[in-house]
Amino acid sequence: ATIHIGMTPSTVSMMSHYLMRFAKSHPNIHFDIHEGSTFTMRDQLENRILDLTTLRTPITLRGCETKTLAAFSPWQFRSSLF
């Protein structure tokens, strides 16, 4: 299986650690990483090109579930991903 993930440039370094850990524990899942602006990632998510993305707020999304990462502590964020 492949998960299509969008990231803004400011979130690449934060997310890379979590993705590497996830990949080690789930070797049959692959990632297709897309990098771009918040608006590009939003459009790709809304058009189902991406499965998930990180975005800078405030932003409005149509038909997507959102979680604010700033509200999570690093430990809560980690457990919510894995």
Side-chain angles (χ1 to χ4, degrees), residues 2 9 13 16 27 42 56 60-61 64 68 77 80 82:
T2 299
S13 62
S16 62
R42 178 199 61 196
R56 297 186 63 149
T60 303
L61 296 171
C64 301
T68 303
F77 176 66
S80 72
F82 308 104

Side-chain angles (χ1 to χ4, degrees), residues 7 11 13 18 24 32 46 58 62 65 73-74:
M7 292 186 210
T11 60
S13 62
Y18 297 110
K24 285 181 182 178
D32 183 13
E46 289 178 341
R62 292 184 317 265
E65 180 182 343
S73 75

Side-chain angles (χ1 to χ4, degrees), residues 28-43:
N28 294 328
I29 298 177
H30 304 281
F31 301 114
D32 183 13
I33 305 296
H34 302 247
E35 185 179 358
S37 72
T38 290
F39 298 104
T40 299
M41 297 295 100
R42 178 199 61 196
D43 292 344

